[in-house]
Amino acid sequence: MKIGFIGLGVMGKRMATNVLKGKYELAVFDLNKDAVKDLQQLGAKACEAPCEVAQNSDVVLTSLPNSAIVENVVLGENGILEGAKEGTVIVDLSSITPKTIQNIAKKASEKGVEVLDAPVSGGAAGAEKGTLTIMVGGKKEVFEKVLPVLNCIGTKVNHVGDVGAGDTVKLVNNLLLGVNMVAVAEALTLGVKAGLKPEVLYDIISQSSGSSYALTAKYNNFIAKGNFEPGFMIDLQYKDLQLAVDTSKDLKMPLIIGNLAQQLFEVARAKGLGSEDISAVIKLYEEWTSIKVREE
Ligand code: NAD
C-alpha cells in the first residue's frame, strides 16, 4: 500500500516520519518547501501538488490547519480528487467541522473515492512518539483497510461511527479542554488571591474532585514555571472552540459555557497571546487581580 501525506506542520511532519518508519512508501506535499525537503531526506518522494500525491498513493493522509484549507486541498484545483482513482482512500487527520468532511465525502464518493475523518489527540509529543489517540469516522471496512497505517501514528485508534463522527468526538473533547483550562485559571487565581500558596492548591485539588487534565497537565510544567511555550496554542484552541460553536448553532443548541470560554481565549488573542500555550489564559486573571499564580 502506497501512502501520501499532505500538511507537514507540527503534527504532520512527525506523523509522516512515523509512517516512513513503518516501512511504507511515502509521497508528500506542503506549501512549505523546507518541510518537504526534511521528509525527502528521510526517504519520501516530494510532489508539486496534492493531485500528484494522490496519483502516487493508495491512501492519502492530510493534516491541515482548518476546514477551508482541507476543502481546497481535496476538492480545489490540482486537489487530491483530481489525482485520485476509484478506490483511493483519503484520511483527514485535521480537526475540522463534521459538516465539511461530510460534504467532501459526498463529492469524493461520486468518483469512487473513500473518505475517513480521523482527528488526533495527544499533541506534538504524542505525534513524535506515535502514541496519538485517533477517533475515526467512516465505513468500518475502509477503517480496517487503513488501520495498519494509523497504527504507525497512534496507539489508541478507535472507529466511532459514520463519516463526521470522528470530528464530532474531537470537537466535544476540545470543548471540554478549553472550558476546563479557563476554569483552572479562574479557580487557581481565586485561591491565590484569597491568600493560599498555589502549590498547596495544586497538591490537594489534583487528588480531589476538582481535578482535571487541564490542571494536572498544565500546572507543574506551565503555570508554576511561568513557561507558556506551546504545548497546545491558544490560536488552535480558539479554532477548536469555533468548531463547537458552529456545530451548536447548526443544531440550534445553546453553548453557553463554550462561548464564554471562547471569548476568554479571544481576549488572550487580542493581547497577543495567540501563539502561547492555552495555560497562558491565566495571565488575564493575573492582570485583573494584580497577583501571580506561582512562586517568583
Ligand atoms: P501547523 O500549522 O503546524 O501545520 C499545518 C501545515 O499545513 C503547515 O506545514 C502548512 O504549511 C501546511 N499547509 C497549509 N495550507 C496548505 C495547503 N493549501 N497545501 C499544503 N499544505 C498546506 O498545524 P498543526 O499543529 O500541525 O495542526 C494540524 C491539524 O492538527 C490542525 O487541524 C490542528 O487543529 C490539529 N491538531 C493539532 C494539535 C497540536 O497540538 N498542534 C493536536 C491535535 C490536533
Side-chain angles (χ1 to χ4, degrees):
M1 197 155 44
K2 283 156 69 178
I3 313 300
F5 209 113
I6 301 173
L8 305 167
V10 170
M11 299 296 285
K13 101 179 137 202
R14 293 173 167 88
M15 294 191 279
T17 302
N18 284 331
V19 172
L20 273 175
K21 283 186 190 155
K23 306 272 181 251
Y24 286 100
E25 242 182 85
L26 189 70
V28 297
F29 174 72
D30 192 296
L31 294 178
N32 175 353
K33 302 272 179 242
D34 290 340
V36 173
K37 266 195 208 129
D38 288 348
L39 263 293
Q40 202 177 12
Q41 274 165 8
L42 296 175
K45 174 185 166 56
C47 295
E48 294 297 320
C51 59
E52 193 189 336
V53 173
Q55 281 157 2
N56 283 283
S57 316
D58 305 303
V59 177
V60 183
L61 307 174
T62 50
S63 177
L64 294 160
N66 59 44
S67 299
I69 293 176
V70 174
E71 200 158 57
N72 185 255
V73 164
V74 181
L75 305 177
E77 200 179 341
N78 297 324
I80 296 171
L81 219 47
E82 272 186 26
K85 47 212 167 283
E86 195 175 340
T88 301
V89 182
I90 299 170
V91 183
D92 182 41
L93 305 159
S94 327
S95 309
I96 64 169
T97 59
K99 212 164 68 171
T100 304
I101 201 71
Q102 284 160 351
N103 175 44
I104 290 172
K106 200 163 155 228
K107 299 228 163 95
S109 71
E110 290 161 13
K111 209 178 165 181
V113 171
E114 300 289 350
V115 173
L116 300 176
D117 50 317
V120 304
S121 181
E128 180 93 31
K129 286 186 264 173
T131 57
L132 293 167
T133 297
I134 312 181
M135 39 225 113
V136 188
K139 290 183 195 156
K140 190 79 192 282
E141 63 273 21
V142 181
F143 166 75
E144 274 156 10
K145 186 173 158 190
V146 303
L147 188 56
V149 184
L150 295 180
N151 281 335
C152 298
I153 60 178
T155 41
K156 292 167 284 291
V157 187
N158 303 291
H159 183 253
V160 294
D162 293 337
V163 71
D167 281 325
T168 306
V169 174
K170 174 69 182 173
L171 72 83
V172 169
N173 181 73
N174 281 31
L175 167 62
L176 276 168
L177 174 62
V179 163
N180 285 337
M181 190 68 252
V182 169
V184 164
E186 186 169 283
L188 287 181
T189 310
L190 176 68
V192 173
K193 186 75 179 167
L196 283 163
K197 289 202 154 124
E199 59 277 19
V200 170
L201 289 164
Y202 176 77
D203 286 346
I204 304 301
I205 297 167
S206 61
Q207 303 300 322
S208 303
S209 53
S211 190
S212 61
Y213 170 85
L215 179 70
T216 55
K218 298 298 182 183
Y219 180 72
N220 280 327
N221 289 334
F222 293 86
I223 296 171
K225 290 184 179 155
N227 159 39
F228 299 104
E229 284 289 309
F232 184 46
M233 260 188 237
I234 284 182
D235 279 342
L236 280 179
Q237 175 68 80
Y238 178 86
K239 180 211 63 162
D240 287 347
L241 284 167
Q242 190 63 43
L243 302 178
V245 167
D246 288 346
T247 303
S248 74
K249 286 192 197 310
D250 287 344
L251 296 171
K252 296 192 170 58
M253 179 195 144
L255 200 74
I256 297 160
I257 299 172
N259 273 284
L260 267 177
Q262 197 198 24
Q263 282 305 301
L264 281 156
F265 286 112
E266 184 80 284
V267 176
R269 276 154 53 94
K271 285 186 167 292
L273 303 176
S275 304
E276 296 197 8
D277 186 73
I278 54 170
S279 50
V281 76
I282 203 160
K283 290 184 183 178
L284 305 180
Y285 286 92
E286 290 179 334
E287 188 185 330
W288 296 332
T289 53
S290 307
I291 58 158
K292 287 273 189 265
V293 184
R294 72 193 67 94
E295 296 292 301
E296 295 282 21

